[in-house]
């Protein structure tokens, strides 16, 4: 039985105890009809409770016979009152109380609480930020875990919604997916909801459906938990300049509206606490003081690291066309370089970034007999260019087309980022959360300098 349902059952039994006192009092003063009406209400409540328990625990559950016995006692008292005076108020109260106590004990001790937990990813490629938490919940016999991918939209330059996307069919086969259309949030009211998109309406490039904004989801659960889909480079919490460069991550809507926020380390927790305490210092009425943020922000680590370290080269499925690039003529493997191009660098350098990418491709094409390039652009690059740099789209699209058709390198636009980390021998590319993940996996890292060509 759900935790909330069990709580409701216990509250109902508490109310029945109060009604019993009313029945006892009515009998004592001779108000038989009032006592009989209260008994009818007790009977109806017991039947309703029994149906609820049968639905949750199954027919014949140990509490059901106790409720049936209670109903029989209620009926006997009712019939006695219908025949006229003579029913002992004290004896009726004693019998009802004794039956109720046995039911209360059974509900408390025999019914196990089931916690219902939702995971609401939006992009399949970012599922790794929730997967290890989902696995733990899925393996817990007292937990019902649901993965419910949610729709999201690309945005036009004016902020209006463009295409709608739903990636429910792109998750690993071992992850059971529930349609967001089939889950009634208001009726089910899950105990916990985990999200990894923090932006609500504040992202210029994409937006999840407004129903799934953190400020709206909060009303449907007792605990909303935000775990960032990204992982940042570790910085000293006392380095003011470095903190200033990333504090915008700390003030996003989900950080404010979630009940708990899980970040990648204790140092990162300290940064979030300091930034948010300062952010709300002029609003003491909010109650969001330093203690509030210290309790709310948890430096437990990132599930992205769990996933990256748990994915081994021997376990991943490698497409045939990838193997054609990876293998040498003698069957041995080339060195694999994971080339990552991000959103920020493209927005900053624009055409110069495209020239840098062309230069990188030229260098690795010349080395293709010894080195395999695995190019994995950020999954939001297309949406970002179309929304914020539409003048670059045609040239970028042509660059992708030429690279893919040449066939000497790998183009990875799949949701499985961790496969690329497991396969590669080294990382080259832009600053991103992938840098930290590759470092955690023991892979050498080199950051590209867009200013240097050739």
């Amino acid at each position: 039985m759900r935790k909330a349902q069990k709580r409701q059952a216990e509250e109902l039994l508490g109310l029945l105890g109060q009604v019993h006192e009313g029945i006892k009092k009515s009998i004592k003063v001779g108000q038989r009809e009032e006592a009989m009406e209260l008994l009818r209400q007790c009977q109806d409540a017991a039947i309703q409770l029994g149906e609820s328990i049968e639905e949750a625990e199954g027919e014949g559950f140990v509490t059901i016979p106790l409720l049936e016995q209670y109903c029989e006692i209620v009926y006997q008292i009712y019939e006695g009152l219908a025949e006229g005076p003579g029913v002992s108020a004290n004896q009726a109260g004693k019998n009802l109380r004794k039956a109720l106590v046995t039911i209360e004990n059974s509900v408390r001790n025999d019914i196990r609480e089931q916690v219902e937990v939702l995971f609401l990813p939006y992009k399949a490629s970012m599922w790794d930020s929730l997967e290890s938490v989902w696995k733990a919940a899925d393996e817990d016999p007292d937990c019902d875990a649901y993965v419910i991918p949610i729709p999201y939209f690309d945005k036009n330059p004016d902020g209006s919604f463009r295409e709608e996307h739903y990636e429910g069919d792109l998750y690993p086969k071992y992850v059971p997916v529930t349609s967001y259309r089939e889950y009634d949030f208001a009726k089910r009211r899950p105990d916990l909801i985990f999200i990894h998109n923090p932006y609500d309406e504040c992202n210029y490039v994409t937006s999840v459906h407004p129903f799934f904004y953190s400020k709206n989801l909060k009303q449907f659960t007792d605990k909303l938990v935000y775990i960032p889909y990204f992982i940042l480079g570790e910085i000293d919490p006392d380095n003011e300049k470095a903190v200033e460069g990333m504090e915008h991550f700390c003030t996003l809507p989900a950080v404010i509206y979630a009940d708990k926020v899980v970040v990648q380390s204790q140092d990162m927790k300290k940064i979030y606490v300091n930034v948010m305490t300062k952010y709300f210092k002029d609003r003491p009425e909010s109650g969001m003081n330093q203690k509030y943020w210290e309790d709310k922000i948890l430096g437990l680590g990132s599930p992205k690291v769990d996933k990256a370290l748990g994915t081994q080269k021997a376990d991943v499925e490698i497409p045939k066309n990838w193997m054609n690039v990876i293998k040498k003529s003698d069957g041995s493997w080339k060195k694999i370089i994971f080339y990552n191009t991000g959103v920020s660098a493209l927005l900053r350098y624009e055409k110069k970034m495209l020239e840098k990418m062309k230069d990188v491709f030229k260098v690795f094409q010349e080395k293709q007999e010894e080195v395999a390039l695995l190019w994995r652009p950020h999954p939001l690059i297309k949406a970002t260019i179309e929304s914020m740099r539409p003048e670059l789209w045609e040239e970028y699209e042509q660059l992708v087309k030429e690279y893919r058709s040449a066939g000497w390198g790998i183009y990875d636009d799949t949701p499985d980022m961790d496969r690329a980390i497991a396969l590669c021998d080294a990382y080259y590319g832009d600053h991103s959360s992938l840098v930290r993940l590759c470092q955690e996996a023991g892979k050498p890292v080199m950051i590209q300098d867009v200013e240097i060509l050739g």
Side-chain angles (χ1 to χ4, degrees):
M1 176 176 276
R2 289 281 309 284
K3 181 179 179 181
Q5 290 177 303
K6 184 174 179 178
R7 191 185 308 128
Q8 290 173 353
E10 291 171 337
E11 290 173 355
L12 176 59
L13 294 172
L15 289 174
L16 284 177
Q18 296 176 28
V19 175
H20 292 173
E21 291 300 316
I23 294 170
K24 183 177 175 181
K25 181 178 178 181
S26 296
I27 296 174
K28 278 186 176 181
V29 299
Q31 296 177 339
R32 288 188 300 141
E33 290 186 4
E34 183 176 330
M36 292 168 69
E37 174 59 29
L38 292 175
L39 286 164
R40 277 194 292 268
Q41 293 176 16
C42 289
Q43 186 93 320
D44 291 343
I47 292 171
Q48 181 183 352
L49 178 58
E51 291 173 349
S52 175
I53 291 174
E54 276 196 337
E55 183 179 354
E57 303 295 330
E59 192 173 345
F61 187 72
V62 63
T63 313
I64 302 302
L66 302 178
L67 284 164
E68 292 171 347
Q69 291 171 20
Y70 172 82
C71 288
E72 180 61 29
I73 292 170
V74 169
Y75 175 74
Q76 290 173 3
I77 298 172
Y78 182 92
E79 287 295 299
L81 290 172
E83 292 174 3
V87 174
S88 167
N90 289 335
Q91 188 61 47
K94 182 178 179 180
N95 291 344
L96 289 170
R97 184 172 65 253
K98 184 178 179 181
L100 187 64
V101 167
T102 60
I103 296 170
E104 288 175 332
N105 289 337
S106 180
V107 168
R108 183 184 308 111
N109 300 319
D110 297 325
I111 296 179
R112 294 174 61 180
E113 290 184 0
Q114 287 293 118
V115 178
E116 186 155 306
V117 184
L118 304 192
F119 295 85
L120 305 183
Y122 81 112
K123 286 194 70 64
S125 60
M126 298 171 182
W127 167 241
D128 59 346
S129 62
L130 296 174
E131 182 172 282
S132 63
V133 183
W134 165 75
K135 282 185 175 180
D138 190 54
E139 292 168 2
D140 187 338
D142 295 329
C143 184
D144 293 325
Y146 295 85
V147 178
I148 305 180
I150 60 178
Y152 68 95
F153 300 87
D154 294 331
K155 280 187 171 183
N156 292 309
D158 64 0
S160 60
F161 289 174
R162 197 167 66 242
E163 296 93 343
E164 180 178 353
H165 302 278
Y166 174 73
E167 299 186 358
D169 58 339
L170 299 180
Y171 288 77
K173 294 178 181 178
Y174 55 80
V175 178
V177 166
T178 299
S179 170
Y180 68 93
R181 294 186 179 91
E182 297 173 359
Y183 189 92
D184 190 328
F185 284 77
K187 182 179 179 180
R188 299 286 289 270
R189 191 173 175 80
D191 299 288
L192 290 94
I193 296 178
F194 286 88
I195 59 173
H196 65 186
N197 183 297
Y199 297 103
D200 286 6
E201 72 277 10
C202 298
N203 191 314
Y204 295 112
V205 177
T206 62
S207 172
V208 298
H209 189 288
F211 178 85
F212 299 103
Y213 287 171
S214 59
K215 59 187 173 186
N216 187 58
L217 288 174
K218 190 175 177 65
Q219 67 180 303
F220 297 111
T221 183
D222 294 333
K223 187 166 289 186
L224 179 64
V225 183
Y226 162 54
I227 303 178
Y229 69 82
F230 51 83
I231 187 169
L232 302 173
E234 287 292 328
I235 59 178
D236 184 347
D238 297 321
N239 185 333
E240 293 183 6
K241 185 175 181 180
V243 170
E244 185 178 343
M246 57 76 61
E247 64 181 11
H248 60 285
F249 290 111
C250 305
T251 58
L252 292 169
V255 178
I256 296 171
Y257 291 111
D259 298 292
K260 295 291 180 183
V261 177
V262 180
V263 296
Q264 67 196 54
S265 67
Q266 287 299 318
D267 276 351
M268 196 59 68
K269 169 180 176 171
K270 186 175 180 180
I271 292 170
Y272 270 73
V273 169
N274 292 342
V275 169
M276 295 308 288
T277 301
K278 180 180 177 182
Y279 189 74
F280 280 93
K281 72 175 182 178
D282 295 328
R283 286 173 275 179
E285 72 282 357
S286 70
M288 295 182 178
N289 53 27
Q290 183 167 342
K291 185 180 185 308
Y292 171 86
W293 292 108
E294 286 176 346
D295 292 339
K296 179 171 178 172
I297 310 294
L298 307 174
L300 301 178
S302 172
K304 294 179 75 71
V305 175
D306 299 335
K307 177 66 173 176
L309 295 181
T311 304
Q312 303 299 316
K313 182 184 291 189
D315 300 328
V316 299
E317 183 177 334
I318 306 174
K320 184 178 179 181
N321 61 321
W322 288 24
M323 288 303 300
N324 293 336
V325 175
I326 292 170
K327 279 189 174 183
K328 297 181 181 180
S329 57
D330 62 3
S332 62
W333 281 30
K334 305 172 186 176
K335 294 293 183 183
I336 301 172
I337 304 301
F338 183 174
Y339 181 47
N340 171 54
T341 52
V343 170
S344 298
L346 189 57
L347 292 178
R348 178 182 177 184
Y349 293 105
E350 300 182 339
K351 284 186 175 294
K352 187 179 288 187
M353 179 63 184
L354 298 181
E355 292 304 314
K356 176 64 177 180
M357 291 163 63
K358 292 176 184 177
D359 188 64
V360 169
F361 295 153
K362 180 175 180 295
V363 170
F364 278 96
Q365 184 175 11
E366 292 172 354
K367 302 290 185 181
Q368 64 178 285
E369 297 302 321
E370 298 295 325
V371 179
L373 186 68
L374 192 162
W375 178 28
R376 184 180 174 85
H378 191 285
L380 290 177
I381 275 189
K382 178 179 184 294
T384 301
I385 296 176
E386 290 181 336
S387 176
M388 302 181 71
R389 300 291 189 275
E391 69 277 6
L392 295 179
W393 173 241
E394 187 174 333
E395 187 175 351
Y396 177 81
E397 188 178 35
Q398 182 62 29
L399 183 60
V400 172
K401 182 178 179 181
E402 290 175 0
Y403 175 83
R404 298 186 72 169
S405 63
W408 57 265
I410 297 168
Y411 182 78
D412 183 7
D413 60 352
T414 70
D416 193 356
M417 172 190 69
D418 298 283
R419 173 173 58 184
I421 296 175
L423 286 176
C424 78
D425 294 288
Y427 172 97
Y428 176 65
D430 297 327
H431 279 289
S432 80
S433 59
L434 288 173
V435 171
R436 172 82 188 280
L437 294 176
C438 287
Q439 289 172 334
E440 291 281 352
K443 306 299 174 79
V445 168
M446 179 180 289
I447 305 302
Q448 71 176 348
D449 188 338
V450 178
E451 302 289 352
I452 299 178
L453 300 177

